[in-house]
Amino acid sequence: MSRIPGPARPSARGPQRTLPTPPSPDRRRWAALAVLLLGAFMGFLDIFIVNVAAPAIQTEWHAPFADVQLVPAGYTLAYAAGLVTGGRLGDAFGRRRVFLYGVGAFAVTSAGCALATTPAFLIGARLLQGLAAAAMLPQVLALIQVTFPQDRARARALGLYGAVIGAGVLAGQILGGMLIAWDIAGLGWRTVFLVNVPLCAVTFVGAVLLVGEDRAAVAGRLDLGGASLLGLGLFGMVHALVTGPERGWTAVPSCELATGTALLGLFLVWERRVERAGRTPLLPPRLLAQRGFSRGLPTVVCFYGANGAFVFLLAFHLQHALGFSPLGSALEFVPLAVLTSVGSALCGRMVARLGRWTVPAAAVLTAVGLLAVGAAVETAAPGGQAVALLPGLVLYGFGGGIVATSLIGLALDGVAAADAGAASGGILTAVQAAEAAGVAGVGALFARLAATGGAVRGFSASVLVLAGLSALTAVLLYFLPARRPAP
């Protein structure tokens, strides 16, 4: 019969020296997650931080508005077009390795943006910065999937990732406004790019020390045909959506949109042929057979399309209609950011206590918040709008924090480890394309309504459309499969 050991007896030779306890594997995993989330935060921060700097860039160089618009749009275009390919590169060559290359390239291209001397130089640097982000960001989600194999821990980690997306979008407005207002060392708008360099250094060192390497067991050759069709299709479609409303839907952007859409259709046909031939497709068609992924994609499009458009419209309304400074506009976003963080922090406990209705109900709350914002703009006195907007922003932020924290995890639940990079790239591509389309489409609606009925009417009517998108998000969330129970 085996003997169960009892407590250790003290040695007769006197007290023994106790060796320091090494950090537990679990603590190391969460420290690694913090490093990965910092990389994700930078990628999403840079989508919106440039919006605040655009007027200063235009003033310094006396640049046409179309060139200034391509500074934020160029990043989004390259980012969206390269995400799925970036995910597959991580599957093939190692997710940690590609993440480190992406972080390094992001630092170099950010410095290049800050050193730009012409609009063309800046636009080119932004395109390269978007490609660096496309290499960096899919690895974050893929590494989370494999670092946290247990359902409960993975749900928490993916929830934090979803919260980081919302935080990056809002922090872009806040931090950008503050940096422009402070004008550190007389650098002006260049500081919105230079802020990435120390963040990249911390992320790079942390990833070297804490993040383990991982790659797909059978990666296969990179699907260059699929990468070309997807990249060109997304670039054409998103570029047309971004520039068409500004330059007019003439033959060129209309053909560009049609060509981009056709190339995306050919991409799906190509991927099925690659899979039938026994090779590794860029975006495996089997992913679309998974209910969570296939239903998660349109849900992501609705939620992030509405969110990106609302943040853009609100910043525009505050600065152009109400005359806020960049810093004043940034401060108006603070309650929204705070309540987004609160909603993200409480999400897990609320879902555990209230069940699957929690997340769709939170999407309804965002719709109510948007309606409240529209009502405040219509009814508040000109000098009191900043205060009148707060209740709607609080509701929108709290509900949006819950949705953002849950949505990515719901869409990726059940994805196999071998497809983690491709699935992550697919979801992030949907996020970026949705935000670009939301800004372009709702922005064009706002411009048309504002030209005939005034800025207030245009803003409130556009917000009403966004409230409808939030309500549709709630319906789609209800039909998403519930997360598998934790063991």
Side-chain angles (χ1 to χ4, degrees), residues 58-432:
Q58 185 176 25
T59 300
E60 179 174 328
W61 286 331
H62 306 288
F65 183 73
D67 286 351
V68 175
Q69 190 182 32
L70 283 173
V71 174
Y75 177 87
T76 304
L77 289 168
Y79 186 21
L83 277 166
V84 177
T85 303
R88 269 306 186 206
L89 286 173
D91 292 342
F93 299 108
R95 290 152 185 160
R96 174 178 176 267
R97 176 184 296 178
V98 176
F99 177 75
L100 289 172
Y101 281 132
V103 172
F106 198 80
V108 171
T109 53
S110 294
C113 290
L115 295 173
T117 54
T118 65
F121 189 124
L122 180 56
I123 292 167
R126 284 287 281 174
L127 287 168
L128 293 176
Q129 190 188 32
L131 291 175
M136 179 173 64
L137 266 293
Q139 317 317 323
V140 176
L141 270 176
L143 286 166
I144 289 174
Q145 291 284 92
V146 297
T147 303
F148 296 91
Q150 299 87 1
D151 286 344
R152 184 170 302 184
R154 182 188 295 177
R156 183 179 172 195
L158 288 173
L160 291 172
Y161 180 87
V164 161
I165 295 180
V169 170
L170 295 173
Q173 304 291 330
I174 297 169
L175 183 59
M178 290 181 173
L179 289 172
I180 295 294
W182 292 337
D183 192 19
I184 300 169
L187 292 171
W189 57 264
R190 300 174 193 274
T191 55
V192 304
F193 300 110
L194 288 175
V195 72
N196 291 325
V197 177
L199 293 178
C200 284
V202 173
T203 304
F204 191 93
V205 173
V208 169
L209 296 176
L210 295 169
V211 178
E213 185 56 281
D214 180 79
R215 71 179 71 191
V218 182
R221 295 171 55 187
L222 183 64
D223 177 15
L224 294 177
S228 300
L229 288 170
L230 180 63
L232 292 172
L234 281 172
F235 190 92
M237 186 181 72
V238 177
H239 184 265
L241 289 173
V242 169
T243 60
E246 173 65 24
R247 297 180 176 178
W249 284 104
T250 59
V252 173
S254 299
C255 288
E256 193 176 29
L257 180 61
T259 303
T261 305
L263 288 174
L264 291 179
L266 287 174
F267 166 74
L268 295 176
V269 174
W270 174 272
E271 294 300 275
R272 289 191 175 93
R273 289 185 61 185
V274 169
E275 189 173 56
R276 283 198 298 267
R279 302 196 301 271
T280 304
L282 189 69
L283 188 67
R286 60 180 172 270
L287 286 175
L288 298 177
Q290 296 184 8
R291 284 179 36 186
F293 188 83
S294 61
R295 296 184 184 183
L297 281 177
T299 313
V300 163
V301 167
C302 283
F303 176 72
Y304 284 103
N307 188 64
F310 177 62
V311 171
F312 172 79
L313 284 178
L314 181 61
F316 186 90
H317 180 73
L318 292 173
Q319 293 189 50
H320 291 268
L322 301 185
F324 279 41
S325 67
L327 180 58
S329 174
L331 294 176
E332 188 72 12
F333 276 92
V334 169
L336 180 59
V338 170
L339 268 295
T340 298
S341 300
V342 171
S344 299
L346 296 179
C347 176
R349 276 176 280 181
M350 292 181 67
V351 170
R353 179 171 297 182
L354 303 176
R356 64 169 299 174
W357 276 97
T358 305
V359 185
V364 173
L365 194 63
T366 64
V368 173
L370 288 169
L371 292 175
V373 166
V377 169
E378 287 276 9
T379 59
Q385 281 202 13
V387 175
L389 288 170
L390 289 179
L393 294 180
V394 165
L395 293 175
Y396 182 84
F398 184 73
I402 294 172
V403 176
T405 302
S406 307
L407 180 52
I408 300 294
L410 289 170
L412 290 176
D413 191 40
V415 170
D419 294 327
S424 302
I427 290 293
L428 291 175
T429 299
V431 171
Q432 294 311 308

Side-chain angles (χ1 to χ4, degrees), residues 14-66:
Q16 299 293 303
R17 283 172 43 181
T18 303
L19 294 175
T21 304
S24 67
D26 195 57
R27 288 176 61 186
R28 184 183 179 91
R29 284 192 308 166
W30 291 104
L33 176 66
V35 171
L36 294 171
L37 292 182
L38 180 57
F41 176 78
M42 287 189 297
F44 287 102
L45 176 78
D46 256 58
I47 298 170
F48 287 92
I49 196 171
V50 181
N51 288 342
V52 182
I57 295 171
Q58 185 176 25
T59 300
E60 179 174 328
W61 286 331
H62 306 288
F65 183 73

